Amino acid sequence: MNIKGKILLIEDDPGLSGALESVLKAEGFAITLARRGDDGCQLGLQEEFDTVLTDFRLPGMGGLEIVKRLHEHNPRLPIILMTAHGTTETAIEATKLGAFDYLLKPFEMEELIEQVDKSVKASQAASQVLELGGSPSAKEALIGNSRLMQTIYKEVGRIAARPVTVLIRGETGTGKELIARAIYQHSNRAAGPFVAVNCAAIPETLLESELFGHERGAFTGAVERRIGRFEQANGGTLFLDEIGEMGASTQAKLLRVLQERVIQRLGGKDVIPVDVRVIAATHVKLEEAIANKAFREDLLYRLNQVTVSLPPLRERTEDIPELATHFVKKHGASLGFENVQLHPAAIDLLRRYTWPGNVRELENAMRQAILASRGYPIDAEVLEQVLAKNQRRDATESDSCRSMVSETLLAAQRGELEDAHDRLVRRLELELFTQAIALAGGNQAKASRWLGISRVTMREKLRHYGLKAGAEEAPSGGHD
């Protein structure tokens, strides 16, 4: 099994530490266990970990002191605090000292796994160095030396250290999150956390809780207090992807945060100060959304103190050979094919293609071409087959969607229904979640990972549509 990340677990209760170690190992994490606070802190200072999971009350040194010392040593190391003594003061102090999140005991193991997954991904993403121009890093980089991209690099350098909100515009697949990460990593907040939220992937009913957190009992299913993304990003940067998909209620609350620099958790009365730089991104034309009353004009003014507009790939075709070569090298190694080559005729074909899906589509095509060529040099014929197959698939999917939309709208026109939008969304979501959970063999973790949503959202959708998933019961966390 591939190791997903290295976890330092600091817990003195033998029963709970054994359960946590067993569950996290089963999820693919490597665990180092310490039973005293001072021993665990020393390990955290001496070795590299992706996440620290620590109890609040420990012999030798308390959890808050561990958070303080490890955060001072490495501000990018996520630390999750477990406690049975949660108070507003504890939450504020833990967050202020640098805790990524904290969990109130007793908690569900699924909730813990979700938080550990998030923290490990955040840690690993923050450790990847993005290079502006020049040779790309192995995993993620801003690639391309075209005049358009050079202009973008200069803009990133100009605004990175400025205390301004940034709106990144561009078609889907152009690399908006990469630009956001570049701004973050070249800012004076680079030592703080980078937290990304895809607003389109989280239902509106859950997005407010995701961003601002909630108190226990705030709504049905809120069995524990939850720290929101704004608090997680305190002292760092919050990236709000697909901001144009955010609903009116959440827009109003976001505007207040940008204006007053405070949040309130759902169901809570305390006002919590936050120091967060917001970077937003969208492929939606927000001016049209404003005209259609779908987006707040005052929020747009707050978000676009600086705007970075990413060009589509078809407008910077001179970057395609470098991008394609990078993806072939990257995926060739992961697929077991070293030193895969691209024929000049294949590169010429890549330049002529329009790439409606932009860089993301190019990367996917390169991955498919490597498999289709079985590691041999990729020629134009192989690429033509890959692109033709993708176009046929897209056309089939488009025809199917068009037919479903037409059928529903005609029924609405005949006066047979008054909820065309909700009905279409329900039909699409029901099919999506039915197929995803079936393909995953009932494994909610796998299905949610494939869909790019949280396990909380997955559970909510399965419950909403009456779908059954595999029973994966795990022991609950104990008390201090």
Side-chain angles (χ1 to χ4, degrees), residues 339-404:
N339 301 316
V340 180
Q341 302 296 313
L342 273 165
H343 276 303
I347 292 177
D348 186 55
L349 176 61
L350 293 175
R351 284 177 176 272
R352 296 197 310 268
Y353 188 66
T354 56
W355 300 110
N358 293 296
V359 179
R360 188 178 298 154
E361 183 185 3
L362 173 62
E363 180 173 9
N364 186 50
M366 292 299 95
R367 189 188 298 112
Q368 293 179 54
I370 293 166
L371 291 170
S373 64
R374 300 183 300 281
Y376 291 98
I378 298 170
D379 57 24
E381 183 179 354
V382 166
L383 267 180
E384 284 174 350
Q385 292 170 357
V386 167
L387 295 176
K389 180 174 127 185
N390 289 346
Q391 286 175 327
R392 286 196 301 272
R393 183 197 64 208
D394 291 345
T396 300
E397 291 173 354
S398 178
D399 287 344
S400 176
C401 285
R402 189 179 296 111
S403 175
M404 184 170 62

Side-chain angles (χ1 to χ4, degrees), residues 23 26 32 38 67 97 110 118 149 151 177-178 193 239 264 287 290 298 311 340 386 408 431 444 447-448:
V23 168
T32 298
D38 46 2
V67 171
L97 292 174
E110 193 174 68
K118 284 181 183 178
M149 290 309 295
T151 301
E177 183 168 349
L178 285 179
F239 174 56
Q264 275 185 289
E287 291 76 10
I290 290 170
D298 48 3
V340 180
V386 167
T408 306
E431 188 64 29
Q444 295 183 46
S448 61

Side-chain angles (χ1 to χ4, degrees), residues 19-126:
L20 291 171
E21 192 170 9
S22 174
V23 168
L24 290 172
K25 279 184 176 178
E27 288 289 319
F29 297 104
I31 308 299
T32 298
L33 175 63
R35 298 197 183 279
R36 289 179 56 88
D38 46 2
D39 293 340
C41 186
Q42 194 63 29
L43 281 170
L45 294 172
Q46 292 174 345
E47 301 180 25
E48 291 188 6
F49 295 95
D50 294 304
T51 287
V52 175
L53 183 61
T54 180
D55 200 358
F56 180 70
R57 291 187 173 177
L58 290 160
M61 183 183 294
L64 285 179
E65 183 64 20
I66 292 172
V67 171
K68 180 176 182 292
R69 293 195 187 185
L70 293 186
H71 184 71
E72 287 175 351
H73 174 70
N74 180 5
R76 296 191 186 187
L77 174 63
I79 307 166
I80 300 174
L81 192 65
M82 302 177 292
T83 179
H85 306 280
T87 64
T88 299
E89 290 72 23
T90 303
I92 293 174
E93 189 65 17
T95 304
K96 185 173 73 175
L97 292 174
F100 182 84
D101 206 341
Y102 75 97
L103 292 169
L104 289 178
K105 299 178 180 180
F107 49 79
E108 296 296 327
M109 284 296 184
E110 193 174 68
E111 181 186 8
L112 174 111
I113 292 166
E114 180 182 353
Q115 288 301 328
V116 170
D117 272 335
K118 284 181 183 178
S119 64
V120 168
K121 287 176 183 175
S123 174
Q124 293 172 348

Side-chain angles (χ1 to χ4, degrees), residues 173-198:
T174 49
K176 294 186 287 294
E177 183 168 349
L178 285 179
I179 294 295
R181 288 188 181 277
I183 294 170
Y184 154 71
Q185 290 183 346
H186 289 267
S187 73
N188 54 8
R189 292 175 175 265
F194 179 93
V195 178
V197 180
N198 187 334

